[in-house]
Amino acid sequence: PSDNKENIESTIQSILEKSTYQFFELIIVTKFTILNKIKSEKIDKRVKLVSYDKPFNFSDKCNIGAKHSIGEFLIFFNDDVRVISNDWIECILEYLTLEGVGVVGPKLLYENNTIQHAGMVTGVRRLIGTAFHSLPKNTTLHYNFAQSVREVSLICGACLAINSKVFKKVKGFDAVNFPINHSDVDLCFKVRALGLTCVYTPYPNLVH
């Protein structure tokens, strides 16, 4: 979901050039004017362009993108996320394919190699926060949790993977009550209400 042509092009390039897993489709949901400009350029056949000319609504855009997908698994991907680990998709699927797992998220880093996201926790910063925020990417604090696969309360929506059947079962993101902020919180709680778990994996690294 994006309304920034530069970011869209950088995202496409990052995913296509740096991903070893190749059996995917990349769905861009954006304004018609931007879509037309991208269409006029040479584009990989795996990229699907979906027009969206309503006011920006992250949740609605994600839901529409999901409806245009044919994949068994969905990875929601912000336009300012860039791939570091070439096997990031495989690392996510390693846990998303396990029984009982509903949502999976990777380690997200700032450009200075500190942690932005290593799972999310509730009851901090007046609502939610990211675990190990701004610590070095290889920190071993708190029993090495930032480097450990573990169940977490929530996964950040900047890069969030979910089984498409589970996504449909919870009726996707809530575009009415959470059009932008906390859409990931709501989605993860709905998934957990089904008895499924949210899993953080440190093996795929991406810059956000």
Side-chain angles (χ1 to χ4, degrees):
S2 178
D3 286 334
N4 185 309
K5 182 175 180 286
E6 230 174 63
N7 277 1
I8 290 171
E9 289 173 336
S10 295
T11 301
I12 291 172
Q13 183 180 7
S14 177
I15 292 174
L16 293 182
E17 292 183 1
K18 294 185 178 178
S19 303
T20 50
Y21 189 90
Q22 292 293 304
F23 302 101
F24 62 82
E25 56 182 354
L26 181 54
I27 299 169
I28 311 295
V29 185
T30 189
K31 292 178 181 176
F32 182 74
T33 51
I34 296 174
L35 182 145
N36 265 353
K37 287 176 185 175
I38 296 172
K39 265 186 178 177
S40 65
E41 301 164 7
K42 191 176 180 182
I43 196 164
D44 190 283
K45 63 182 179 181
R46 287 169 294 178
V47 178
K48 290 183 180 179
L49 300 170
V50 179
S51 179
Y52 185 96
D53 277 325
K54 303 176 196 174
F56 188 88
N57 183 318
F58 176 85
S59 295
D60 195 32
K61 281 192 168 192
C62 286
N63 291 341
I64 287 172
K67 284 177 182 175
H68 281 82
S69 72
I70 59 171
E72 185 180 351
F73 302 99
L74 304 168
I75 301 177
F76 295 99
F77 198 98
N78 272 24
D79 70 355
D80 56 354
V81 171
R82 301 292 175 263
V83 176
I84 299 174
S85 307
N86 297 87
D87 60 351
W88 69 283
I89 297 177
E90 296 96 313
C91 289
I92 286 173
L93 290 176
E94 179 180 8
Y95 297 99
L96 193 56
T97 52
L98 295 178
E99 188 177 349
V101 175
V103 171
V104 174
K107 182 190 288 182
L108 297 177
L109 304 172
Y110 289 115
E111 290 179 337
N112 65 357
N113 274 330
T114 59
I115 294 172
Q116 187 206 26
H117 170 267
M120 297 182 77
V121 291
T122 55
V124 297
R125 298 183 196 165
R126 295 183 296 173
L127 184 63
I128 56 165
T130 50
F132 304 98
H133 185 256
S134 294
L135 290 174
K137 68 174 182 178
N138 294 322
T139 179
T140 58
L141 287 178
H142 198 72
Y143 312 105
N144 205 37
F145 266 22
Q147 317 310 328
S148 304
V149 177
R150 68 188 198 282
E151 294 184 12
V152 292
S153 297
L154 310 161
I155 291 296
C156 174
C159 186
L160 180 152
I162 184 170
N163 186 299
S164 59
K165 289 180 181 176
V166 173
F167 189 72
K168 287 175 186 172
K169 195 167 186 179
V170 298
K171 298 182 180 176
F173 288 100
D174 186 337
V176 176
N177 297 303
F178 304 101
I180 300 176
N181 295 330
H182 309 312
S183 54
D184 47 5
V185 179
D186 177 69
L187 181 73
C188 288
F189 279 157
K190 289 189 294 189
V191 169
R192 289 178 58 187
L194 294 178
L196 301 172
T197 188
C198 298
V199 172
Y200 158 77
T201 170
Y203 300 117
N205 286 197
L206 300 98
V207 170
H208 182 213

